[in-house]
Amino acid sequence: QNHNLFSRVLLNVHFTHKAYNFSSVSSNANSIPAFKDKITVITGGAAGIGEYGTRLFAKEGATVIIFDVNEEAGKKLEAELCEKGQNVIFMKTDISSYDAVCASMEEIDKRFGRLDVLYNNASVFLGSRDNKISEISLETWNKILSINLNGLFAKLSGRKVYNNVVM
């Protein structure tokens, strides 16, 4: 029951858009999957909340492209879900690298020509290196910004095909 509630919250918080009927997201085998044929990128999609998002979107019919630095977890998840007949592609992508993100987005442009959903899940918590802003090092600050903000900029900057993307 908590699983289904979290599914609905995740979908409603991140993807409130009139084109999608979220009330159909359920275990009802007769319903049309909410994201059928939607090209979806999930950053940090190989583990944690991102993995859950990957599983949920794939189950709901999306073609899910996982952007993550964790190659082992990403490939394992891709293989597991593809074995179930779901469309999942792992692309090793360091969200903190503008060039890496641009290269991955260009690959999506070539393969699909569009992107329907961008789930910006990747973020960083640096444990003991995170601190009050008055006590954080410049190196830590730059790392946080490069993952949490610059990656989003790289994914969207100058891309006409993403004018209608749901984020």
Side-chain angles (χ1 to χ4, degrees), residues 106-154:
E106 287 171 15
E107 179 64 25
I108 291 169
D109 286 344
K110 289 177 193 170
R111 289 178 76 170
F112 302 103
R114 72 180 208 279
L115 179 64
D116 301 305
V117 179
L118 175 58
Y119 178 4
N120 285 297
N121 173 71
S123 63
V124 67
F125 173 72
L126 299 173
S128 63
R129 290 174 35 198
D130 276 345
N131 213 327
K132 295 177 187 173
I133 195 142
S134 60
E135 299 173 17
I136 203 166
S137 73
L138 181 58
E139 175 190 7
T140 299
W141 177 252
N142 286 332
K143 183 73 172 175
I144 292 168
L145 290 180
S146 69
I147 294 171
N148 296 359
L149 294 177
N150 296 347
L152 173 62
F153 174 76

mmCIF file of all heavy atoms in Angstrom, residues 106-154:
data_model
loop_
_atom_site.group_PDB
_atom_site.id
_atom_site.type_symbol
_atom_site.label_atom_id
_atom_site.label_comp_id
_atom_site.label_asym_id
_atom_site.label_seq_id
_atom_site.Cartn_x
_atom_site.Cartn_y
_atom_site.Cartn_z
ATOM 1 N N GLU A 106 23.009 14.384 -26.883
ATOM 2 C CA GLU A 106 23.146 14.294 -28.340
ATOM 3 C C GLU A 106 22.850 12.881 -28.826
ATOM 4 O O GLU A 106 22.251 12.694 -29.890
ATOM 5 C CB GLU A 106 24.535 14.753 -28.767
ATOM 6 C CG GLU A 106 24.702 16.254 -28.655
ATOM 7 C CD GLU A 106 26.138 16.731 -28.856
ATOM 8 O OE1 GLU A 106 26.973 15.954 -29.366
ATOM 9 O OE2 GLU A 106 26.413 17.884 -28.481
ATOM 10 N N GLU A 107 23.249 11.875 -28.052
ATOM 11 C CA GLU A 107 22.950 10.484 -28.398
ATOM 12 C C GLU A 107 21.435 10.243 -28.400
ATOM 13 O O GLU A 107 20.903 9.571 -29.273
ATOM 14 C CB GLU A 107 23.647 9.522 -27.425
ATOM 15 C CG GLU A 107 23.381 8.067 -27.702
ATOM 16 C CD GLU A 107 23.909 7.578 -29.052
ATOM 17 O OE1 GLU A 107 24.866 8.168 -29.589
ATOM 18 O OE2 GLU A 107 23.340 6.598 -29.574
ATOM 19 N N ILE A 108 20.746 10.827 -27.441
ATOM 20 C CA ILE A 108 19.281 10.714 -27.400
ATOM 21 C C ILE A 108 18.671 11.400 -28.616
ATOM 22 O O ILE A 108 17.742 10.885 -29.241
ATOM 23 C CB ILE A 108 18.722 11.286 -26.079
ATOM 24 C CG1 ILE A 108 19.132 10.375 -24.921
ATOM 25 C CG2 ILE A 108 17.211 11.441 -26.137
ATOM 26 C CD1 ILE A 108 18.868 10.958 -23.563
ATOM 27 N N ASP A 109 19.199 12.582 -28.963
ATOM 28 C CA ASP A 109 18.731 13.277 -30.170
ATOM 29 C C ASP A 109 18.837 12.372 -31.394
ATOM 30 O O ASP A 109 17.906 12.258 -32.186
ATOM 31 C CB ASP A 109 19.561 14.541 -30.435
ATOM 32 C CG ASP A 109 19.248 15.679 -29.484
ATOM 33 O OD1 ASP A 109 18.203 15.633 -28.809
ATOM 34 O OD2 ASP A 109 20.068 16.615 -29.418
ATOM 35 N N LYS A 110 19.982 11.719 -31.546
ATOM 36 C CA LYS A 110 20.224 10.859 -32.715
ATOM 37 C C LYS A 110 19.306 9.641 -32.719
ATOM 38 O O LYS A 110 18.771 9.279 -33.760
ATOM 39 C CB LYS A 110 21.683 10.391 -32.742
ATOM 40 C CG LYS A 110 22.671 11.463 -33.083
ATOM 41 C CD LYS A 110 24.090 10.925 -33.008
ATOM 42 C CE LYS A 110 25.093 12.061 -33.028
ATOM 43 N NZ LYS A 110 26.449 11.615 -32.721
ATOM 44 N N ARG A 111 19.150 9.018 -31.575
ATOM 45 C CA ARG A 111 18.383 7.772 -31.504
ATOM 46 C C ARG A 111 16.882 7.978 -31.530
ATOM 47 O O ARG A 111 16.154 7.170 -32.107
ATOM 48 C CB ARG A 111 18.758 6.989 -30.255
ATOM 49 C CG ARG A 111 20.142 6.399 -30.334
ATOM 50 C CD ARG A 111 20.530 5.671 -29.087
ATOM 51 N NE ARG A 111 19.871 4.371 -28.997
ATOM 52 C CZ ARG A 111 20.184 3.469 -28.099
ATOM 53 N NH1 ARG A 111 21.125 3.706 -27.203
ATOM 54 N NH2 ARG A 111 19.549 2.323 -28.064
ATOM 55 N N PHE A 112 16.402 9.038 -30.866
ATOM 56 C CA PHE A 112 14.961 9.193 -30.685
ATOM 57 C C PHE A 112 14.392 10.481 -31.278
ATOM 58 O O PHE A 112 13.202 10.555 -31.536
ATOM 59 C CB PHE A 112 14.604 9.127 -29.194
ATOM 60 C CG PHE A 112 15.024 7.852 -28.541
ATOM 61 C CD1 PHE A 112 16.153 7.809 -27.741
ATOM 62 C CD2 PHE A 112 14.303 6.680 -28.738
ATOM 63 C CE1 PHE A 112 16.551 6.630 -27.131
ATOM 64 C CE2 PHE A 112 14.698 5.493 -28.142
ATOM 65 C CZ PHE A 112 15.820 5.467 -27.341
ATOM 66 N N GLY A 113 15.208 11.516 -31.404
ATOM 67 C CA GLY A 113 14.740 12.780 -31.956
ATOM 68 C C GLY A 113 13.866 13.592 -31.024
ATOM 69 O O GLY A 113 13.360 14.646 -31.400
ATOM 70 N N ARG A 114 13.695 13.105 -29.811
ATOM 71 C CA ARG A 114 12.851 13.842 -28.864
ATOM 72 C C ARG A 114 13.101 13.332 -27.454
ATOM 73 O O ARG A 114 13.712 12.283 -27.246
ATOM 74 C CB ARG A 114 11.377 13.695 -29.196
ATOM 75 C CG ARG A 114 10.796 12.328 -28.907
ATOM 76 C CD ARG A 114 9.309 12.249 -29.270
ATOM 77 N NE ARG A 114 8.600 11.292 -28.457
ATOM 78 C CZ ARG A 114 8.597 9.991 -28.661
ATOM 79 N NH1 ARG A 114 9.278 9.473 -29.674
ATOM 80 N NH2 ARG A 114 7.913 9.176 -27.877
ATOM 81 N N LEU A 115 12.596 14.094 -26.494
ATOM 82 C CA LEU A 115 12.589 13.694 -25.099
ATOM 83 C C LEU A 115 11.265 14.171 -24.530
ATOM 84 O O LEU A 115 10.905 15.337 -24.680
ATOM 85 C CB LEU A 115 13.756 14.333 -24.334
ATOM 86 C CG LEU A 115 13.847 14.023 -22.850
ATOM 87 C CD1 LEU A 115 14.096 12.541 -22.618
ATOM 88 C CD2 LEU A 115 14.953 14.838 -22.207
ATOM 89 N N ASP A 116 10.523 13.263 -23.892
ATOM 90 C CA ASP A 116 9.207 13.605 -23.364
ATOM 91 C C ASP A 116 9.233 13.939 -21.876
ATOM 92 O O ASP A 116 8.491 14.800 -21.417
ATOM 93 C CB ASP A 116 8.226 12.446 -23.597
ATOM 94 C CG ASP A 116 8.081 12.116 -25.065
ATOM 95 O OD1 ASP A 116 7.746 13.032 -25.850
ATOM 96 O OD2 ASP A 116 8.336 10.962 -25.448
ATOM 97 N N VAL A 117 10.067 13.225 -21.116
ATOM 98 C CA VAL A 117 10.110 13.410 -19.670
ATOM 99 C C VAL A 117 11.560 13.458 -19.219
ATOM 100 O O VAL A 117 12.368 12.620 -19.620
ATOM 101 C CB VAL A 117 9.393 12.258 -18.931
ATOM 102 C CG1 VAL A 117 9.476 12.442 -17.419
ATOM 103 C CG2 VAL A 117 7.937 12.135 -19.372
ATOM 104 N N LEU A 118 11.884 14.443 -18.394
ATOM 105 C CA LEU A 118 13.205 14.558 -17.801
ATOM 106 C C LEU A 118 13.025 14.585 -16.289
ATOM 107 O O LEU A 118 12.480 15.534 -15.737
ATOM 108 C CB LEU A 118 13.903 15.831 -18.272
ATOM 109 C CG LEU A 118 15.250 16.158 -17.640
ATOM 110 C CD1 LEU A 118 16.245 15.023 -17.848
ATOM 111 C CD2 LEU A 118 15.793 17.454 -18.225
ATOM 112 N N TYR A 119 13.442 13.510 -15.643
ATOM 113 C CA TYR A 119 13.330 13.394 -14.188
ATOM 114 C C TYR A 119 14.706 13.684 -13.598
ATOM 115 O O TYR A 119 15.588 12.859 -13.623
ATOM 116 C CB TYR A 119 12.831 12.004 -13.838
ATOM 117 C CG TYR A 119 12.703 11.676 -12.361
ATOM 118 C CD1 TYR A 119 12.949 12.606 -11.363
ATOM 119 C CD2 TYR A 119 12.322 10.410 -11.975
ATOM 120 C CE1 TYR A 119 12.825 12.288 -10.029
ATOM 121 C CE2 TYR A 119 12.196 10.077 -10.639
ATOM 122 C CZ TYR A 119 12.447 11.008 -9.670
ATOM 123 O OH TYR A 119 12.340 10.682 -8.352
ATOM 124 N N ASN A 120 14.882 14.896 -13.088
ATOM 125 C CA ASN A 120 16.168 15.342 -12.531
ATOM 126 C C ASN A 120 16.307 14.845 -11.099
ATOM 127 O O ASN A 120 16.127 15.586 -10.145
ATOM 128 C CB ASN A 120 16.257 16.870 -12.586
ATOM 129 C CG ASN A 120 16.505 17.341 -13.971
ATOM 130 O OD1 ASN A 120 17.536 17.038 -14.542
ATOM 131 N ND2 ASN A 120 15.538 18.045 -14.528
ATOM 132 N N ASN A 121 16.642 13.589 -10.972
ATOM 133 C CA ASN A 121 16.774 12.964 -9.667
ATOM 134 C C ASN A 121 18.172 13.128 -9.086
ATOM 135 O O ASN A 121 18.325 13.241 -7.877
ATOM 136 C CB ASN A 121 16.430 11.473 -9.789
ATOM 137 C CG ASN A 121 16.714 10.720 -8.525
ATOM 138 O OD1 ASN A 121 16.027 10.880 -7.537
ATOM 139 N ND2 ASN A 121 17.751 9.905 -8.556
ATOM 140 N N ALA A 122 19.195 13.126 -9.926
ATOM 141 C CA ALA A 122 20.575 13.149 -9.435
ATOM 142 C C ALA A 122 20.839 14.394 -8.607
ATOM 143 O O ALA A 122 20.549 15.511 -9.014
ATOM 144 C CB ALA A 122 21.557 13.086 -10.597
ATOM 145 N N SER A 123 21.356 14.156 -7.442
ATOM 146 C CA SER A 123 21.809 15.237 -6.572
ATOM 147 C C SER A 123 22.854 14.633 -5.652
ATOM 148 O O SER A 123 23.076 13.430 -5.670
ATOM 149 C CB SER A 123 20.649 15.838 -5.773
ATOM 150 O OG SER A 123 20.098 14.866 -4.908
ATOM 151 N N VAL A 124 23.465 15.464 -4.884
ATOM 152 C CA VAL A 124 24.559 14.957 -4.070
ATOM 153 C C VAL A 124 24.425 15.421 -2.630
ATOM 154 O O VAL A 124 24.013 16.543 -2.361
ATOM 155 C CB VAL A 124 25.922 15.373 -4.665
ATOM 156 C CG1 VAL A 124 26.142 16.864 -4.581
ATOM 157 C CG2 VAL A 124 27.062 14.632 -4.022
ATOM 158 N N PHE A 125 24.717 14.511 -1.740
ATOM 159 C CA PHE A 125 24.911 14.821 -0.328
ATOM 160 C C PHE A 125 26.295 14.297 -0.007
ATOM 161 O O PHE A 125 26.585 13.120 -0.210
ATOM 162 C CB PHE A 125 23.854 14.145 0.542
ATOM 163 C CG PHE A 125 24.135 14.301 2.017
ATOM 164 C CD1 PHE A 125 23.966 15.532 2.637
ATOM 165 C CD2 PHE A 125 24.570 13.228 2.772
ATOM 166 C CE1 PHE A 125 24.235 15.689 3.974
ATOM 167 C CE2 PHE A 125 24.842 13.380 4.122
ATOM 168 C CZ PHE A 125 24.671 14.606 4.726
ATOM 169 N N LEU A 126 27.160 15.152 0.448
ATOM 170 C CA LEU A 126 28.562 14.788 0.619
ATOM 171 C C LEU A 126 28.926 14.466 2.063
ATOM 172 O O LEU A 126 30.072 14.614 2.477
ATOM 173 C CB LEU A 126 29.451 15.906 0.069
ATOM 174 C CG LEU A 126 29.240 16.179 -1.417
ATOM 175 C CD1 LEU A 126 30.016 17.407 -1.848
ATOM 176 C CD2 LEU A 126 29.638 14.981 -2.247
ATOM 177 N N GLY A 127 27.947 14.004 2.818
ATOM 178 C CA GLY A 127 28.215 13.552 4.177
ATOM 179 C C GLY A 127 28.882 14.607 5.030
ATOM 180 O O GLY A 127 28.417 15.738 5.120
ATOM 181 N N SER A 128 30.007 14.254 5.614
ATOM 182 C CA SER A 128 30.689 15.168 6.529
ATOM 183 C C SER A 128 31.253 16.400 5.826
ATOM 184 O O SER A 128 31.565 17.397 6.471
ATOM 185 C CB SER A 128 31.820 14.432 7.261
ATOM 186 O OG SER A 128 32.787 13.985 6.336
ATOM 187 N N ARG A 129 31.370 16.334 4.477
ATOM 188 C CA ARG A 129 31.852 17.512 3.740
ATOM 189 C C ARG A 129 30.767 18.566 3.585
ATOM 190 O O ARG A 129 31.053 19.733 3.365
ATOM 191 C CB ARG A 129 32.392 17.097 2.371
ATOM 192 C CG ARG A 129 33.693 16.326 2.499
ATOM 193 C CD ARG A 129 34.220 15.761 1.210
ATOM 194 N NE ARG A 129 33.996 16.545 0.026
ATOM 195 C CZ ARG A 129 34.074 16.040 -1.199
ATOM 196 N NH1 ARG A 129 34.349 14.776 -1.387
ATOM 197 N NH2 ARG A 129 33.866 16.815 -2.241
ATOM 198 N N ASP A 130 29.480 18.150 3.660
ATOM 199 C CA ASP A 130 28.384 19.113 3.650
ATOM 200 C C ASP A 130 28.349 19.791 5.012
ATOM 201 O O ASP A 130 28.615 19.168 6.029
ATOM 202 C CB ASP A 130 27.045 18.413 3.415
ATOM 203 C CG ASP A 130 26.763 18.177 1.941
ATOM 204 O OD1 ASP A 130 27.441 18.790 1.114
ATOM 205 O OD2 ASP A 130 25.868 17.382 1.639
ATOM 206 N N ASN A 131 28.009 21.053 5.021
ATOM 207 C CA ASN A 131 28.036 21.793 6.271
ATOM 208 C C ASN A 131 27.229 23.071 6.117
ATOM 209 O O ASN A 131 26.631 23.313 5.068
ATOM 210 C CB ASN A 131 29.489 22.125 6.655
ATOM 211 C CG ASN A 131 29.709 22.137 8.146
ATOM 212 O OD1 ASN A 131 28.817 22.500 8.907
ATOM 213 N ND2 ASN A 131 30.894 21.739 8.560
ATOM 214 N N LYS A 132 27.239 23.904 7.126
ATOM 215 C CA LYS A 132 26.651 25.234 7.008
ATOM 216 C C LYS A 132 27.389 25.961 5.902
ATOM 217 O O LYS A 132 28.591 25.772 5.717
ATOM 218 C CB LYS A 132 26.816 26.014 8.315
ATOM 219 C CG LYS A 132 26.072 25.440 9.477
ATOM 220 C CD LYS A 132 26.375 26.269 10.712
ATOM 221 C CE LYS A 132 25.791 25.619 11.944
ATOM 222 N NZ LYS A 132 26.212 26.310 13.175
ATOM 223 N N ILE A 133 26.689 26.808 5.185
ATOM 224 C CA ILE A 133 27.310 27.503 4.057
ATOM 225 C C ILE A 133 28.522 28.324 4.491
ATOM 226 O O ILE A 133 29.480 28.458 3.738
ATOM 227 C CB ILE A 133 26.283 28.364 3.289
ATOM 228 C CG1 ILE A 133 26.857 28.753 1.946
ATOM 229 C CG2 ILE A 133 25.876 29.578 4.078
ATOM 230 C CD1 ILE A 133 25.906 28.759 0.835
ATOM 231 N N SER A 134 28.510 28.807 5.717
ATOM 232 C CA SER A 134 29.651 29.588 6.202
ATOM 233 C C SER A 134 30.869 28.718 6.502
ATOM 234 O O SER A 134 31.970 29.227 6.679
ATOM 235 C CB SER A 134 29.255 30.369 7.456
ATOM 236 O OG SER A 134 28.851 29.468 8.473
ATOM 237 N N GLU A 135 30.663 27.392 6.509
ATOM 238 C CA GLU A 135 31.751 26.482 6.851
ATOM 239 C C GLU A 135 32.106 25.508 5.731
ATOM 240 O O GLU A 135 32.958 24.639 5.907
ATOM 241 C CB GLU A 135 31.378 25.689 8.113
ATOM 242 C CG GLU A 135 31.148 26.586 9.312
ATOM 243 C CD GLU A 135 30.605 25.827 10.518
ATOM 244 O OE1 GLU A 135 30.712 24.584 10.538
ATOM 245 O OE2 GLU A 135 30.082 26.485 11.425
ATOM 246 N N ILE A 136 31.485 25.644 4.592
ATOM 247 C CA ILE A 136 31.708 24.702 3.490
ATOM 248 C C ILE A 136 32.908 25.150 2.651
ATOM 249 O O ILE A 136 33.139 26.346 2.471
ATOM 250 C CB ILE A 136 30.423 24.572 2.633
ATOM 251 C CG1 ILE A 136 30.388 23.273 1.886
ATOM 252 C CG2 ILE A 136 30.261 25.743 1.702
ATOM 253 C CD1 ILE A 136 29.027 22.958 1.314
ATOM 254 N N SER A 137 33.671 24.210 2.150
ATOM 255 C CA SER A 137 34.823 24.565 1.320
ATOM 256 C C SER A 137 34.364 24.915 -0.091
ATOM 257 O O SER A 137 33.302 24.470 -0.548
ATOM 258 C CB SER A 137 35.818 23.399 1.259
ATOM 259 O OG SER A 137 35.301 22.362 0.443
ATOM 260 N N LEU A 138 35.171 25.678 -0.796
ATOM 261 C CA LEU A 138 34.859 26.037 -2.181
ATOM 262 C C LEU A 138 34.801 24.782 -3.052
ATOM 263 O O LEU A 138 33.937 24.670 -3.929
ATOM 264 C CB LEU A 138 35.903 27.016 -2.727
ATOM 265 C CG LEU A 138 35.671 27.492 -4.155
ATOM 266 C CD1 LEU A 138 34.319 28.182 -4.310
ATOM 267 C CD2 LEU A 138 36.800 28.415 -4.594
ATOM 268 N N GLU A 139 35.675 23.832 -2.818
ATOM 269 C CA GLU A 139 35.678 22.571 -3.582
ATOM 270 C C GLU A 139 34.344 21.831 -3.419
ATOM 271 O O GLU A 139 33.752 21.380 -4.399
ATOM 272 C CB GLU A 139 36.829 21.678 -3.119
ATOM 273 C CG GLU A 139 36.830 20.309 -3.764
ATOM 274 C CD GLU A 139 37.824 19.345 -3.139
ATOM 275 O OE1 GLU A 139 38.448 19.671 -2.111
ATOM 276 O OE2 GLU A 139 37.959 18.242 -3.673
ATOM 277 N N THR A 140 33.867 21.729 -2.183
ATOM 278 C CA THR A 140 32.588 21.063 -1.922
ATOM 279 C C THR A 140 31.441 21.834 -2.554
ATOM 280 O O THR A 140 30.559 21.258 -3.184
ATOM 281 C CB THR A 140 32.365 20.899 -0.405
ATOM 282 O OG1 THR A 140 33.426 20.090 0.122
ATOM 283 C CG2 THR A 140 31.034 20.252 -0.098
ATOM 284 N N TRP A 141 31.450 23.141 -2.405
ATOM 285 C CA TRP A 141 30.417 23.993 -2.998
ATOM 286 C C TRP A 141 30.348 23.782 -4.511
ATOM 287 O O TRP A 141 29.278 23.603 -5.072
ATOM 288 C CB TRP A 141 30.705 25.442 -2.653
ATOM 289 C CG TRP A 141 29.741 26.422 -3.268
ATOM 290 C CD1 TRP A 141 30.001 27.274 -4.295
ATOM 291 C CD2 TRP A 141 28.380 26.626 -2.906
ATOM 292 N NE1 TRP A 141 28.871 28.003 -4.590
ATOM 293 C CE2 TRP A 141 27.861 27.623 -3.752
ATOM 294 C CE3 TRP A 141 27.545 26.060 -1.955
ATOM 295 C CZ2 TRP A 141 26.549 28.064 -3.671
ATOM 296 C CZ3 TRP A 141 26.223 26.510 -1.870
ATOM 297 C CH2 TRP A 141 25.744 27.498 -2.720
ATOM 298 N N ASN A 142 31.490 23.799 -5.170
ATOM 299 C CA ASN A 142 31.529 23.605 -6.626
ATOM 300 C C ASN A 142 31.029 22.231 -7.028
ATOM 301 O O ASN A 142 30.350 22.083 -8.054
ATOM 302 C CB ASN A 142 32.931 23.866 -7.163
ATOM 303 C CG ASN A 142 33.263 25.341 -7.188
ATOM 304 O OD1 ASN A 142 32.376 26.189 -7.304
ATOM 305 N ND2 ASN A 142 34.531 25.671 -7.054
ATOM 306 N N LYS A 143 31.342 21.197 -6.253
ATOM 307 C CA LYS A 143 30.865 19.842 -6.547
ATOM 308 C C LYS A 143 29.344 19.779 -6.454
ATOM 309 O O LYS A 143 28.675 19.214 -7.331
ATOM 310 C CB LYS A 143 31.507 18.839 -5.573
ATOM 311 C CG LYS A 143 31.138 17.409 -5.827
ATOM 312 C CD LYS A 143 31.824 16.879 -7.053
ATOM 313 C CE LYS A 143 31.601 15.395 -7.200
ATOM 314 N NZ LYS A 143 32.154 14.888 -8.436
ATOM 315 N N ILE A 144 28.789 20.368 -5.408
ATOM 316 C CA ILE A 144 27.336 20.393 -5.229
ATOM 317 C C ILE A 144 26.671 21.113 -6.405
ATOM 318 O O ILE A 144 25.707 20.609 -6.992
ATOM 319 C CB ILE A 144 26.955 21.065 -3.890
ATOM 320 C CG1 ILE A 144 27.400 20.182 -2.723
ATOM 321 C CG2 ILE A 144 25.457 21.347 -3.816
ATOM 322 C CD1 ILE A 144 27.341 20.880 -1.373
ATOM 323 N N LEU A 145 27.181 22.273 -6.756
ATOM 324 C CA LEU A 145 26.595 23.033 -7.865
ATOM 325 C C LEU A 145 26.726 22.303 -9.196
ATOM 326 O O LEU A 145 25.806 22.324 -10.016
ATOM 327 C CB LEU A 145 27.231 24.419 -7.963
ATOM 328 C CG LEU A 145 26.893 25.392 -6.843
ATOM 329 C CD1 LEU A 145 27.591 26.718 -7.082
ATOM 330 C CD2 LEU A 145 25.398 25.591 -6.712
ATOM 331 N N SER A 146 27.862 21.662 -9.418
ATOM 332 C CA SER A 146 28.075 20.988 -10.704
ATOM 333 C C SER A 146 27.094 19.844 -10.905
ATOM 334 O O SER A 146 26.640 19.607 -12.022
ATOM 335 C CB SER A 146 29.518 20.499 -10.836
ATOM 336 O OG SER A 146 29.782 19.444 -9.944
ATOM 337 N N ILE A 147 26.739 19.157 -9.844
ATOM 338 C CA ILE A 147 25.788 18.048 -9.969
ATOM 339 C C ILE A 147 24.351 18.548 -9.896
ATOM 340 O O ILE A 147 23.515 18.215 -10.737
ATOM 341 C CB ILE A 147 26.049 16.982 -8.885
ATOM 342 C CG1 ILE A 147 27.404 16.318 -9.130
ATOM 343 C CG2 ILE A 147 24.934 15.939 -8.858
ATOM 344 C CD1 ILE A 147 27.868 15.411 -8.037
ATOM 345 N N ASN A 148 24.048 19.346 -8.897
ATOM 346 C CA ASN A 148 22.664 19.734 -8.645
ATOM 347 C C ASN A 148 22.121 20.800 -9.592
ATOM 348 O O ASN A 148 20.914 20.853 -9.809
ATOM 349 C CB ASN A 148 22.512 20.219 -7.204
ATOM 350 C CG ASN A 148 22.793 19.123 -6.198
ATOM 351 O OD1 ASN A 148 23.090 17.988 -6.543
ATOM 352 N ND2 ASN A 148 22.722 19.463 -4.937
ATOM 353 N N LEU A 149 22.981 21.641 -10.155
ATOM 354 C CA LEU A 149 22.500 22.721 -11.024
ATOM 355 C C LEU A 149 23.065 22.671 -12.445
ATOM 356 O O LEU A 149 22.324 22.747 -13.413
ATOM 357 C CB LEU A 149 22.819 24.085 -10.405
ATOM 358 C CG LEU A 149 22.104 24.416 -9.103
ATOM 359 C CD1 LEU A 149 22.563 25.762 -8.578
ATOM 360 C CD2 LEU A 149 20.603 24.402 -9.289
ATOM 361 N N ASN A 150 24.370 22.564 -12.577
ATOM 362 C CA ASN A 150 24.978 22.639 -13.903
ATOM 363 C C ASN A 150 24.556 21.496 -14.808
ATOM 364 O O ASN A 150 24.439 21.668 -16.017
ATOM 365 C CB ASN A 150 26.504 22.698 -13.792
ATOM 366 C CG ASN A 150 26.975 23.956 -13.092
ATOM 367 O OD1 ASN A 150 26.210 24.893 -12.905
ATOM 368 N ND2 ASN A 150 28.229 23.962 -12.689
ATOM 369 N N GLY A 151 24.325 20.327 -14.231
ATOM 370 C CA GLY A 151 23.861 19.192 -15.029
ATOM 371 C C GLY A 151 22.532 19.483 -15.693
ATOM 372 O O GLY A 151 22.314 19.152 -16.853
ATOM 373 N N LEU A 152 21.622 20.109 -14.966
ATOM 374 C CA LEU A 152 20.325 20.476 -15.538
ATOM 375 C C LEU A 152 20.511 21.457 -16.691
ATOM 376 O O LEU A 152 19.905 21.299 -17.751
ATOM 377 C CB LEU A 152 19.424 21.097 -14.463
ATOM 378 C CG LEU A 152 18.100 21.670 -14.957
ATOM 379 C CD1 LEU A 152 17.236 20.582 -15.562
ATOM 380 C CD2 LEU A 152 17.377 22.376 -13.829
ATOM 381 N N PHE A 153 21.363 22.444 -16.509
ATOM 382 C CA PHE A 153 21.631 23.414 -17.573
ATOM 383 C C PHE A 153 22.144 22.701 -18.822
ATOM 384 O O PHE A 153 21.674 22.944 -19.932
ATOM 385 C CB PHE A 153 22.639 24.457 -17.108
ATOM 386 C CG PHE A 153 23.064 25.399 -18.197
ATOM 387 C CD1 PHE A 153 22.220 26.420 -18.610
ATOM 388 C CD2 PHE A 153 24.284 25.246 -18.837
ATOM 389 C CE1 PHE A 153 22.591 27.286 -19.625
ATOM 390 C CE2 PHE A 153 24.657 26.100 -19.857
ATOM 391 C CZ PHE A 153 23.815 27.123 -20.259
ATOM 392 N N ALA A 154 23.088 21.785 -18.649
ATOM 393 C CA ALA A 154 23.658 21.070 -19.794
ATOM 394 C C ALA A 154 22.606 20.239 -20.508
ATOM 395 O O ALA A 154 22.620 20.122 -21.733
ATOM 396 C CB ALA A 154 24.814 20.178 -19.334
#
